[in-house]
Amino acid sequence: MNRIKGNIQDLLLKKVVGNEDVEIADSKLTLLRREKVNKPVIYLGAGTCGLGAGAAKTLISINSYLNANSIDAEIIEVGCIGLCTAEPIVDIQLPDHNRISFSNVTSNKVDNLLDSVFNLELPEKIETLYQFPTLTNRSWEGITTHAEHPYFKKQLRLVLKNCGTLNPVSIDEYIAGGGYNAYLSTINSYESLQVCNMVEESGLRGRGGGGFTTGMKWKFALNTEADQKYLICNADEGDPGAFMDRAVIEGDPHRLLEGMMIAAYGMGATKSYVYIRAEYPLAIKRLNIALEQAREYGLLGKNIFGSGVDFEIKVKMGAGAFVCGEETALIKSIEGKRGMPIPRPPFPAVKGLFDKPTVINNVETLSCLPEIIPNGVDRFKSIGTEKSKGTKVFALSGKVALTGLVEVPMGTTIREVIFGIAGGIPNNKKFKSVQIGGPSGGCITEENLDIEVDYDSLLTIGAMMGSGGLVVMDEDTCMVDVAKFFMDFIQRESCGKCIPCREGTRRMLEILESITHKPVNAAQNEALERFKGITQLEKLGKVIRETSLCGLGQTAPNPVLSTLRWFREEYEEHIFDRKCRSNVCTELRTFTIDVDSCTGCTICAKKCPTDAIIGSRKTPHFIVDDKCISCGTCFDVCKFGSIVIS
């Protein structure tokens, strides 16, 4: 192993400051670390969530204001800090003052915000979120710090530590904050096997679903003789409700690249791919910028920093097929073939991409590595539970007060995540369930809210960690409809290669559709036939789980089996009572007219597509059940609230 000549940190910082003298170099690094600024700096949350909330228009308004007032200020587009519900978020840092954040800054609020802050005042009609304290800058009186804000107070941000605060397209800022020091120290101080052992000892497990021990997986590839080995970063984030990988790449792409460099050295790879879905254009753009910067600084290519280590990364865009999240299907897609799973063994670590040893890790797994190597394995091991170490990033969506990204230590309860960090259920609604792990996961009920975020504990209640999507549901959610949604997704995304998944999921979807639709006739044995659907669902689910070819097929029945386990009474209501308690399954709704409030305006009768409403003008109307298709048009057009849903 060659050694890097010179002090690693000095070599990296020289890339940033050049040959300037010590005083000028220190001043430049201070500015890059944002410890001080010499002119106003405006940070705009311009990740996908921010852009969706109107950040592009906010940016136009900021530029217009600065031009109109002849103000020299720097504008930095940062990624999502995690509090998506507050986007667009605008931070302002004035010389000698702390950086301060404001929420929901749409374009029409920009003038008021900048007028106030540039006059050292807080705007009255814009919510101030928090400030980032420093030892030397002035604080904003009465404003909480970022670390003490209720949303962030109980988080532990390792993977997300730079997201939303660092300029994602500036390698200089990343290096000034200590970036790439872990990688160069790794190749300078350790052999590949030592790196594998350290990562294994740290307890890091794959964050993509299966939770396999990361260091052990690397060893399989390292110990396999081959003239070429590959590392693949799986950024094909296909779960509904999951956006962690996208946010990490948009907000801190250099952290991912550094993690890939460490992983490749550990498992002996010199070539790598980032397999990312084409639906992430902003993430792809920022990733490519980061790659060019890393090459320019000599962190990629041949003989990196004179160490004798070679490494290159290519970006491969996927077409959005859910099945390509499975390792072997992903490999086939990179090879230019149809993305379909193949039987294992041999596993990819022995025979993978182009029949060479290949390791596949996801974005979050790789982004943990720059935290493990420089700080030692003991610190990472000290976080989490006995068998699940470190932190986990969750994407919170659905019926929850604060949607966004949350990173918590393993062992944190689901209750703490939803009610302690994310603010609970809005509109005084009652919590019903949370779907964890996407289409491969299961639901967690109120009685299980105190279960810990842990790979093994979640399995005991029929759920799984998965990639980390958390979709929160309140009392207005129909769990049968939830199961149907996920089964429809799985059925459409099945590659069709194996019969259990292809035909089994189709039959499960047909059963779910039959019990959420209004019966065609009232035959006496119809309820019995519909009830048989439940037993068929359970049997089909077990067969699919045991006989499908790949992991996606084997976990496909999980949402249905999980909802059956915890919400069986809702299935029975759909079957026997032909009712949906949440009135979500539209074809099971029954509409009646309150004769006391009906004025006989006839608007409902005119709009009814099946002429199911009868009655004379200025007299109460009635609905003919046999003709009603439960479309809800009458309910939508009635101006007097006379249509009753039951």
Side-chain angles (χ1 to χ4, degrees), residues 7-19 25-26 28-29 32-33 172 174-179 184 297 305:
N7 181 279
I8 288 172
Q9 188 171 14
D10 290 345
L11 290 171
L12 279 170
L13 293 179
K14 190 174 181 180
K15 293 285 186 182
V16 177
V17 300
N19 294 315
D26 286 345
K28 185 172 182 179
L29 291 174
L32 285 171
R33 293 169 183 148
D172 288 350
Y174 186 72
I175 291 175
L184 293 187
Y297 276 42
F305 277 67

Side-chain angles (χ1 to χ4, degrees), residues 151-370:
Y151 187 76
F152 297 99
K153 187 174 183 179
K154 295 184 178 180
Q155 294 190 46
L156 178 58
R157 293 167 67 87
L158 302 181
V159 172
L160 302 178
K161 66 187 299 182
N162 294 327
C163 289
T165 59
L166 189 79
N167 184 350
V169 293
S170 172
I171 191 172
D172 288 350
E173 280 196 31
Y174 186 72
I175 291 175
Y180 289 114
N181 193 42
Y183 170 54
L184 293 187
S185 297
T186 298
I187 63 177
N188 190 55
S189 305
Y190 305 107
E191 299 286 353
S192 292
L193 182 58
Q194 290 177 293
V195 177
C196 292
N197 288 335
M198 290 174 65
V199 173
E200 185 176 5
E201 186 184 349
S202 74
L204 177 65
R205 296 172 64 174
R207 301 301 198 242
F212 193 79
T213 303
T214 304
M216 186 182 298
K217 180 189 281 190
W218 294 0
K219 283 184 182 179
F220 290 143
L222 181 65
N223 294 330
T224 302
E225 292 292 332
D227 58 352
Q228 180 64 59
K229 298 176 183 179
Y230 294 96
L231 171 72
I232 297 175
C233 170
N234 183 356
D236 188 57
E237 193 171 43
D239 288 6
F243 48 91
M244 300 80 63
D245 294 352
R246 184 197 73 203
V248 170
I249 297 175
E250 289 178 355
D252 195 7
H254 283 287
R255 185 177 184 86
L256 171 61
L257 298 187
E258 185 172 13
M260 292 180 67
M261 294 171 185
I262 294 170
Y265 179 74
M267 54 85 60
T270 58
K271 294 183 180 179
S272 180
Y273 289 86
V274 179
Y275 187 85
I276 184 169
R277 56 199 304 108
E279 294 92 336
Y280 286 174
L282 182 59
I284 294 169
K285 177 183 177 180
R286 291 183 177 174
L287 182 62
N288 281 322
I289 291 173
L291 283 168
E292 285 304 311
Q293 292 174 343
R295 291 188 187 101
E296 181 184 345
Y297 276 42
L299 292 158
L300 289 172
K302 299 287 187 180
N303 194 25
I304 295 167
F305 277 67
S307 64
V309 175
D310 302 336
F311 186 53
E312 189 52 80
I313 300 175
K314 293 183 178 180
V315 175
K316 169 69 175 178
M317 289 186 289
F322 179 68
V323 72
C324 287
E326 196 276 337
E327 290 186 344
T328 59
L330 183 153
I331 287 171
K332 292 300 177 186
S333 181
I334 293 178
E335 292 175 343
K337 302 171 185 175
R338 182 179 177 186
M340 298 182 74
I342 60 174
R344 297 178 296 179
F347 290 91
V350 176
K351 185 179 180 181
L353 184 63
F354 306 121
D355 293 332
K356 304 296 184 181
T358 305
V359 166
I360 300 102
N361 289 136
N362 84 330
V363 172
E364 187 180 346
T365 309
L366 294 164
S367 296
C368 287
L369 298 172

Side-chain angles (χ1 to χ4, degrees), residues 436-479:
I436 183 171
S440 298
C443 58
I444 297 174
T445 60
E446 187 170 15
E447 64 187 279
N448 294 316
L449 272 175
D450 291 312
I451 196 164
E452 294 182 340
V453 172
D454 178 285
Y455 286 99
D456 303 307
S457 61
L458 290 172
L459 293 175
T460 64
I461 59 169
M464 63 182 294
M465 187 88 71
S467 57
L470 285 178
V471 183
V472 183
M473 294 165 276
D474 66 11
E475 60 189 275
D476 294 333
T477 305
C478 171
M479 301 310 295

Side-chain angles (χ1 to χ4, degrees), residues 375-561:
N375 297 309
V377 299
D378 289 339
R379 180 174 182 268
F380 195 82
K381 282 173 62 177
S382 69
I383 304 168
T385 64
E386 182 181 357
K387 295 183 179 180
S388 299
K389 304 296 184 181
T391 60
K392 182 70 188 80
V393 179
F394 289 102
L396 278 166
S397 60
K399 304 297 182 65
V400 65
L402 302 176
T403 57
L405 291 176
V406 170
E407 185 175 2
V408 294
M410 293 284 193
T412 304
T413 65
I414 297 295
R415 184 186 300 277
E416 186 62 50
V417 173
I418 296 174
F419 291 92
I421 296 175
I425 314 302
N427 304 318
N428 294 317
K429 294 287 186 177
K430 185 179 179 182
F431 170 84
K432 189 169 191 177
S433 178
V434 56
Q435 178 75 17
I436 183 171
S440 298
C443 58
I444 297 174
T445 60
E446 187 170 15
E447 64 187 279
N448 294 316
L449 272 175
D450 291 312
I451 196 164
E452 294 182 340
V453 172
D454 178 285
Y455 286 99
D456 303 307
S457 61
L458 290 172
L459 293 175
T460 64
I461 59 169
M464 63 182 294
M465 187 88 71
S467 57
L470 285 178
V471 183
V472 183
M473 294 165 276
D474 66 11
E475 60 189 275
D476 294 333
T477 305
C478 171
M479 301 310 295
V480 180
D481 185 67
V482 169
K484 185 172 72 172
F485 166 81
F486 281 111
M487 191 49 56
D488 177 64
F489 177 86
I490 286 290
Q491 205 281 318
R492 285 186 288 107
E493 293 292 339
S494 173
C495 74
K497 186 172 184 178
C498 69
I499 292 174
C501 180
R502 183 185 70 234
E503 301 299 331
T505 56
R506 178 184 301 171
R507 179 57 186 147
M508 291 183 82
L509 179 60
E510 289 172 352
I511 294 170
L512 291 170
E513 288 176 338
S514 73
I515 65 177
T516 55
H517 290 178
K518 180 172 287 188
V520 178
N521 56 64
Q524 291 184 351
N525 65 341
E526 187 174 329
L528 179 60
E529 290 294 325
R530 286 154 61 85
F531 180 73
K532 285 173 62 178
I534 288 187
T535 58
Q536 289 179 344
L537 280 175
E538 291 177 312
K539 291 178 180 178
L540 275 170
K542 292 175 182 177
V543 170
I544 295 170
R545 177 184 286 176
E546 293 171 1
T547 59
S548 289
L549 175 61
C550 73
L552 296 182
Q554 291 160 11
T555 56
N558 284 357
V560 175
L561 297 178

Side-chain angles (χ1 to χ4, degrees), residues 42-47 49-56 58-59 62 75-92 99-106 110 113 126-130 132 146 149 151-152 157 163-165 403-404:
I42 301 172
Y43 309 83
L44 174 64
C49 55
L51 293 172
T58 300
L59 178 60
I62 292 173
I75 302 174
I76 298 176
E77 297 179 42
V78 297
C80 174
I81 199 166
L83 192 55
C84 299
T85 193
E87 295 283 6
I89 295 175
V90 172
D91 298 0
I92 302 174
R99 175 175 171 176
I100 187 169
S101 299
F102 303 91
S103 71
N104 303 115
V105 184
T106 48
V110 167
L113 173 65
I126 301 174
E127 182 185 358
T128 305
L129 288 171
Y130 40 73
F132 295 87
H146 172 264
H149 187 276
Y151 187 76
F152 297 99
R157 293 167 67 87
C163 289
T165 59
T403 57

